[in-house]
């Protein structure tokens, strides 16, 4: 950020389930508050093959502690995951508990970290922290089960449903003409 650049803060909606109010902590170090709530999942909380469905419930169990620099938020979030197995393309559904720990700095406190989370007024926005925690915890290649057999490379059949699935030995396409000629010769010899 260059000198003289004005950053316009976005306004937080205090009614959102992902926004926490810190007024009860009164900026006195040592004051603590526990919060348990359910909020709706925002959109785009995941990767292409797996993620948290938008609007699904997220169960938060958090502790807010006032410290000198700001408010330390620790706890967990339980999310529902939906996606596709990267081997067989079957739908996957599970739940995950994500650990959350983030220091939100009071306005005006300089910690030397431009990417540090900040308190806006008296409000904390959990969405960026939740997004980072969920996306980093997602499996890069989700599987429906550890021993998923995947799909048949020839016909696309699910090998989990039919583990004994086989095909006749395929002929290399470069030899197709020769195979047809051999078959014609065999037919002529029988006549």
């Amino acid at each position: 950020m260059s000198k003289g650049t004005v950053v316009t803060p976005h306004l937080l909606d205090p009614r959102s389930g992902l926004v926490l109010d810190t007024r009860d902590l009164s900026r006195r170090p040592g004051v603590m508050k526990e919060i348990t709530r359910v909020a709706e999942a925002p959109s785009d909380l995941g990767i292409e093959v797996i993620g948290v469905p938008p609007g699904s419930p997220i169960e938060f169990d958090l502790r807010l502690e006032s410290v000198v620099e700001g408010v330390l938020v620790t706890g967990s979030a339980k999310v529902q995951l939906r996606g596709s197995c990267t081997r067989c393309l079957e739908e996957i559904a599970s739940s995950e508990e994500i650990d959350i720990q983030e220091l939100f700095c009071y306005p005006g406190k300089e910690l030397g970290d431009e990417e540090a989370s900040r308190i806006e007024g008296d409000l904390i926005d959990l969405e960026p922290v939740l997004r980072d925690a969920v996306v980093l915890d997602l499996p890069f290649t989700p599987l429906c089960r550890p021993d998923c057999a995947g799909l048949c490379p020839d016909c696309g059949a699910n090998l989990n449903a039919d583990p004994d699935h086989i095909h006749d030995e395929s002929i290399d396409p470069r030899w197709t003409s020769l195979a047809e000629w051999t078959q014609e010769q065999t037919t002529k010899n029988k006549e």
Side-chain angles (χ1 to χ4, degrees), residues 1-34:
M1 185 179 324
S2 64
K3 189 174 183 178
T5 304
V6 177
V7 177
T8 308
H10 70 287
L11 298 175
L12 298 177
D13 182 2
R15 298 170 295 181
S16 168
L18 298 173
V19 175
L20 304 175
D21 192 339
T22 64
R23 278 181 280 173
D24 295 349
L25 299 176
S26 64
R27 293 193 181 198
R28 289 187 320 216
V31 177
M32 185 187 74
K33 171 179 164 179
E34 292 187 355

Side-chain angles (χ1 to χ4, degrees), residues 54-72:
S56 65
I58 300 176
E59 299 173 21
F60 288 101
D61 187 12
L62 303 171
R63 181 170 58 188
L64 281 61
E65 296 177 75
S66 182
V67 294
V68 173
E69 298 85 9
V71 175
L72 178 63

